[in-house]
Amino acid sequence: MRQTVNNISMRPELGVVTMLTFIGLGLWDENDVSLKGLEAIREADVVYAEFYTSRLMGTTLEKMEALYGKPVKVLVREDVEQHPKDNVLKDALDKKVVFLTGGDAMVATTHVDLRLRAQKMGIDTAIIHGASISSAVCGATGLQNYRFGKSATIAFPYKNIISETPYDTIKMNKANGLHTLLFLDIDREKGYMTINRGVELLLAVEERRKEGVLTDALGVGIARAGSPAPCVKAAKLDELKALDFGAPLHIMVVPAELHFLEEEALQALAGLKT
């Protein structure tokens, strides 16, 4: 028998409240979590987190646990995507569980999949949103949010094969007058992809295909968004490749033709030279 009160699943026969709440932690450090999110973490029976889609570069697990007042179980990709019934979903059957992610809670499709699995098992879910890099990029650069098209991820080459999906995404978006947000790969062995490496991979595809998609194309790089000292720079891609953006996390944009206000913003905020 199950009752639902205020969207929280009740199991009277067990005398417990069950719930899986996804909480976005924001962009930089442990203090970016919302008050609502912090309250939910402190009230949870079990706290899980994953940092393979994104992570808070301005803090440590120890600082997070000190703020929360309880331990955090960090999961790797395989735990979440292949074996969630052995951890998160198993605990959420008879406990209040929170699942922490960098940025906003539902930007990554892996989190949507986990939520759907939970609901199929009769586990009620909720979301407490956090600041997302997708919107932070607009604030950091002055690029207008409604002018962004499909995004893509520049992945590390696999067996020396470079994915051409980001190039094709830029090509499609440019044809429609839209900007392209490019996420940069995070790999347990290879580390954090830089803007410089991302540009190199894009230009390598351009060199092979010779379609002119990136000829004289502008790029905008953003590093450490949400930190006290973010780095934002705009230049032609071949120039951007040589610039120093410092420590991760990095992300980049290949804009379409700029609106005059966007151009003015990039000159003021990202050092764009005309």
Side-chain angles (χ1 to χ4, degrees):
M1 177 180 178
R2 175 174 290 213
Q3 302 173 347
T4 301
V5 180
N6 295 329
N7 295 322
I8 298 177
S9 179
M10 305 289 294
R11 285 189 170 184
E13 74 277 16
L14 298 178
V16 296
V17 177
T18 69
M19 187 73 173
L20 174 57
T21 303
F22 295 86
I23 302 176
L25 298 177
L27 299 175
W28 179 246
D29 63 20
E30 73 278 9
N31 295 315
D32 285 351
V33 66
S34 68
L35 292 176
K36 185 183 292 184
L38 182 59
E39 181 180 10
I41 295 170
R42 289 176 173 173
E43 291 180 352
D45 299 312
V46 185
V47 180
Y48 284 103
E50 69 82 3
F51 299 124
Y52 61 84
T53 57
S54 183
R55 67 172 302 164
L56 306 182
M57 301 302 295
T59 191
T60 63
L61 183 62
E62 291 74 21
K63 289 181 180 179
M64 293 168 65
E65 291 178 330
L67 177 64
Y68 304 156
K70 55 185 57 183
V72 178
K73 300 180 180 180
V74 179
L75 303 177
V76 298
R77 184 182 295 271
E78 291 77 12
D79 294 329
V80 179
E81 297 183 357
Q82 298 178 23
H83 310 294
K85 290 184 179 180
D86 296 336
N87 42 71
V88 178
L89 299 181
K90 177 181 177 182
D91 280 338
L93 285 171
D94 58 10
K95 298 180 180 71
K96 287 193 292 184
V97 176
V98 296
F99 186 83
L100 312 179
T101 67
D104 193 19
M106 284 293 147
V107 172
T109 55
T110 183
H111 306 149
V112 178
D113 177 70
L114 182 60
R115 187 185 186 198
L116 294 177
R117 293 194 195 200
Q119 298 208 160
K120 288 177 181 178
M121 294 174 61
I123 300 167
D124 289 317
T125 62
I127 306 169
I128 299 176
H129 295 283
S132 168
I133 190 62
S134 298
S135 57
V137 161
C138 298
T141 64
L143 295 172
Q144 297 166 2
N145 70 319
Y146 65 87
R147 295 200 60 214
F148 279 78
K150 180 181 178 181
S151 60
T153 298
I154 302 178
F156 286 108
Y158 177 71
K159 295 183 178 179
N160 295 320
I161 298 174
I162 301 173
S163 171
E164 299 186 6
T165 299
Y167 184 91
D168 289 329
T169 302
I170 295 169
K171 180 179 179 180
M172 176 183 68
N173 285 340
K174 274 182 168 289
N176 290 292
L178 300 173
H179 307 322
T180 306
L181 180 63
L182 296 165
F183 298 95
L184 301 176
D185 203 2
I186 299 175
D187 185 89
R188 275 190 288 174
E189 296 180 357
K190 298 176 182 178
Y192 305 98
M193 182 179 290
T194 63
I195 293 163
N196 315 83
R197 180 61 171 147
V199 173
E200 286 179 0
L201 294 171
L202 287 176
L203 293 179
V205 177
E206 176 73 281
E207 176 63 23
R208 190 184 71 78
R209 290 175 48 167
K210 300 185 184 302
E211 296 182 18
V213 172
L214 301 180
T215 301
D216 294 325
L218 181 68
V220 185
I222 305 98
R224 301 174 303 284
S227 76
C231 179
V232 185
K233 298 179 182 180
K236 295 291 180 65
L237 285 177
D238 57 347
E239 299 172 2
L240 198 73
K241 182 175 64 172
L243 299 180
D244 182 9
F245 286 89
L249 294 173
H250 292 187
I251 195 166
M252 62 179 292
V253 179
V254 176
E257 184 176 352
L258 297 172
H259 182 276
F260 72 92
L261 284 178
E262 293 179 310
E263 184 174 7
E264 182 179 344
L266 288 179
Q267 291 170 357
L269 303 175
L272 177 64
K273 297 178 181 179
T274 56

